[in-house]
Amino acid sequence: MKQRWWRLLGAVCVAFLLLPSAPALAAPTFKVPFPCGQAWSGQTRSDHSPANAIDFNRTNDDGDPVVASAPGTVDVVTNLGDTSYGRYVRINHGGGYTTYYAHLSGFNVSVGQSVGYGSVIGYVGTTGNSTGPHLHYEQRLNGSAVQARFNGTLALYWGTKTYTSDNACSGTTGHGTVNTAGSPLTVRSGPGTSYASVGTVADGAGVTIQCQTNGTSVTGTYGTSTIWDRIGSGRFISDAYVYTGYDGFIPGVPRC
């Protein structure tokens, strides 16, 4: 009986050890956080706080637009005054990944807004604990700053390097305005009314459309349409309630 017990215990241990671990979620493809074609000097240094952050500069950059480095949802827009990050924005990209944009002179987004590549989220400034205009930029995983990558390539650590942005160069995102005549528009986890509700978008809100696809037919402000717009990871809204300037698919925006 004792031998049988040890054999059973050994089989359980082997089965446990052979269970595959859950695969880690892949990082988003982060882009340089400035409009397409712009060249910026990015500096890293070991005594930075946090050390893996990058300070971006270029000549006469005060007030220059800062754009989202990957699609996501804005979850922090705040002003710490003359301390720390000053005015800063945080974008949640899902899978534990976030990006920080600090020392801004002003904001161009609000909490809960979906953004895509090339979406202007604020403007370079020198707020907070800053000695001159620049963008303090971070990529974080589960709250901890990690060494930044652009297009999957590790940034230079430690030193200064010129980065040329290809952010939204292909024009692969679209833009629209929600029009529901007052009611919030339900956001679904997929392209159809049978998918779970994952939030709402306010009437009159601007949205960045990452891709479009066919789904459930919906009759809304702009007629009947089967087109659904993805405005974030696992976030879809019916195009029947979105003014894009086009009756069908937006030219240049990819299909989901």
Side-chain angles (χ1 to χ4, degrees), residues 102-169:
H103 305 315
L104 302 173
S105 63
F107 306 122
N108 194 54
V109 289
S110 56
V111 171
Q113 182 175 335
S114 295
V115 293
Y117 291 120
S119 298
V120 177
I121 55 99
Y123 305 93
V124 173
T126 185
T127 59
N129 185 20
S130 170
T131 57
H134 70 280
L135 175 68
H136 173 102
Y137 172 82
E138 298 174 26
Q139 294 175 7
R140 293 195 181 195
L141 175 59
N142 297 326
S144 297
V146 296
Q147 292 191 334
R149 292 178 180 269
F150 301 111
N151 294 324
T153 300
L154 184 67
L156 174 65
Y157 288 89
W158 310 94
T160 301
K161 177 181 175 179
T162 297
Y163 298 87
T164 299
S165 175
D166 68 346
N167 197 324
C169 286

Side-chain angles (χ1 to χ4, degrees), residues 33-44:
F34 298 103
C36 174
Q38 291 187 358
W40 287 74
S41 174
Q43 181 194 64
T44 57

Side-chain angles (χ1 to χ4, degrees), residues 13 16 29 31-32 55 60 94 100 105-106 109 125 150 167 169 171 173 183 197 207 223 229 232 251:
C13 290
F16 176 78
T29 300
K31 305 282 188 178
V32 175
D55 279 347
N60 299 322
Y100 284 64
S105 63
V109 289
F150 301 111
N167 197 324
C169 286
T173 57
S183 302
S197 170
V207 292
D229 304 326

